[in-house]
Amino acid sequence: MLKKIIFSLQLIIISFSISYANDTDNEIVIGTKFTIHSDILDEDRKIWLQLPPNYTPDGNHPVLYILDGDRSFNYISGMLDQLYQNGKTPPMILVAILNTDRNRDLTPTNTSIAADGITVPFLKSTGGGDNFLQFLRTELKTYIEANYTPSKFRIFAGHSLGGLLTTYAFLTDPEYFNAFIAIDPSYWWDNGYINNLLIQKKTGKTGNKKYTLYVNGQ
């Protein structure tokens, strides 16, 4: 079942094609927007959320956390609904985190060197990945579980720098998530930092619990 869910979610993030909305009276509504304050990041963070069809507080729904929420929420929410309607995935809660400083939050190390080897000033804020993951694993997790009582099955997905961060989370502290999806991850980052980390870490199993990383790239 896990492989079936993850394969379907890979199709979601790759496709960029279909969107869906629930038609209620005269409004088209596909989710809810809210803001939570993060003491860890010292800022407010915007979150977009979609509950599954026929959601109930005791539904025990898995949660999909996605990065770059402002870019990805619409098409992923649509694809989740299509996959559910076709029996490919269970009903899931979608949590999309919007960016404030993408370069800061989605990178594990500080460097101003871009993919082409050129130093660029707009990367000077990079290296805040650990703080961002702490916000996600504690403050955001606490909010979601207090207000929507989901299951303990969690998936973390990201594209490009987001894929870099999902892989970093898998390698350094996988306990919070059950599965990780890295789409076209930026493994070039910081002279191949993540590749060196991969060599150092034992992946796939910690204790008696298994964790799965799915990577899709060009």
Side-chain angles (χ1 to χ4, degrees), residues 109 111 113-115 117 186-197:
T109 59
T111 179
I113 301 175
S186 300
Y187 287 166
W188 57 265
W189 180 261
D190 198 2
N191 197 32
Y193 168 81
I194 206 72
N195 297 319
N196 295 325
L197 191 59

Side-chain angles (χ1 to χ4, degrees), residues 128-142:
D130 284 317
N131 279 345
F132 179 78
L133 288 173
Q134 186 181 359
F135 153 71
L136 197 154
R137 291 167 176 151
T138 58
E139 294 173 326
L140 183 56
K141 166 186 176 292
T142 299

Side-chain angles (χ1 to χ4, degrees), residues 141-196:
K141 166 186 176 292
T142 299
Y143 182 93
I144 295 299
E145 295 189 353
N147 288 276
Y148 301 101
T149 58
S151 75
K152 299 301 181 181
F153 192 89
R154 310 179 191 94
I155 302 169
F156 187 26
H159 170 262
S160 189
L161 287 181
L164 173 73
L165 189 71
T166 59
T167 305
Y168 177 73
F170 170 75
L171 292 173
T172 57
D173 188 7
E175 289 291 332
Y176 176 62
F177 301 100
N178 301 87
F180 303 77
I181 303 176
I183 303 301
D184 196 17
S186 300
Y187 287 166
W188 57 265
W189 180 261
D190 198 2
N191 197 32
Y193 168 81
I194 206 72
N195 297 319
N196 295 325

